[in-house]
Amino acid sequence: KTWKSCYARIWRKKQKRINRNVRSLDFTMRKSFIGIGILLAIVGLLMLFSPDAWIKAVVIIVGIAAILNGIFNLIQLRNMILDRSYKRTILIRGIISIIIGLIAVIMPLTVAASIWAIMLYILAGYLIISSILELYATIKIKNSGLDTKPFYGEIIGSTVLAIVLLLMSTKGFGLILIRILGILVILFGIGIIFWDYKNKKKSDFQD
């Protein structure tokens, strides 16, 4: 009896600790969801009421991504296989990515709007050229027997982003597109907050 009661006491303590950890994790996740919802709503408002500022932010973000991608190409991707033409292709892609990325990031935020439109065209052209080079490199990787699924995803993503940037560069239509996307982002952010609120009420009712 003593052994059984002792075991039951230890089990109850462990169960309480687990329940406390689960509640703590649940609270952290709720805060994260609320934070994401608020952030998306703010981003959506920026897109809706200040599309020009949003375009500048997109140029800088794509520029930073291009720099990181270029560094990854030169350090990691270039050494995946020993094929010389593959190495040369990745070297060219990496250098272009870093140069274009630096131009996009270093460009002052006070330049004329027409220059920003030109930068969107440059970034779109870079993404298309980068996708073509990556497609060639991916074929080389596939011929070596390595998995290429992540690379095809990046190619498709880069092509779609290039099309979006080209649409954004058109002054009238681009601003309308950004504002429509802004409304959708706001609604999505509000939806996340509402979903979290409903889940919290349901969880509190169950408790």
Side-chain angles (χ1 to χ4, degrees), residues 81-113:
I81 58 176
L82 300 174
D83 187 275
R84 283 188 179 182
S85 61
Y86 166 83
K87 284 180 173 289
R88 196 182 306 115
T89 301
I90 295 299
L91 177 65
I92 293 169
R93 184 172 183 262
I95 292 170
I96 292 174
S97 295
I98 292 171
I99 292 171
I100 296 295
L102 285 172
I103 292 171
V105 172
I106 295 171
M107 179 181 287
L109 295 176
T110 54
V111 296

Side-chain angles (χ1 to χ4, degrees), residues 5-69:
S5 62
C6 183
Y7 177 80
R9 195 160 51 247
I10 293 170
W11 185 85
R12 282 195 297 272
K13 284 183 179 179
K14 283 185 177 181
Q15 195 65 36
K16 284 181 181 178
R17 195 181 302 118
I18 291 169
N19 291 337
R20 191 162 55 245
N21 291 337
V22 169
R23 282 195 296 270
S24 176
L25 179 62
D26 185 50
F27 178 72
T28 304
M29 288 180 68
R30 284 174 181 171
K31 285 178 68 177
S32 300
F33 278 122
I34 292 170
I36 291 169
I38 293 170
L39 181 61
L40 285 173
I42 292 170
V43 169
L45 287 170
L46 179 64
M47 294 171 72
L48 185 61
F49 294 108
S50 186
D52 289 327
W54 173 252
I55 290 173
K56 292 178 181 181
V58 167
V59 168
I60 293 171
I61 291 167
V62 174
I64 292 170
I67 293 169
L68 295 175
N69 186 264

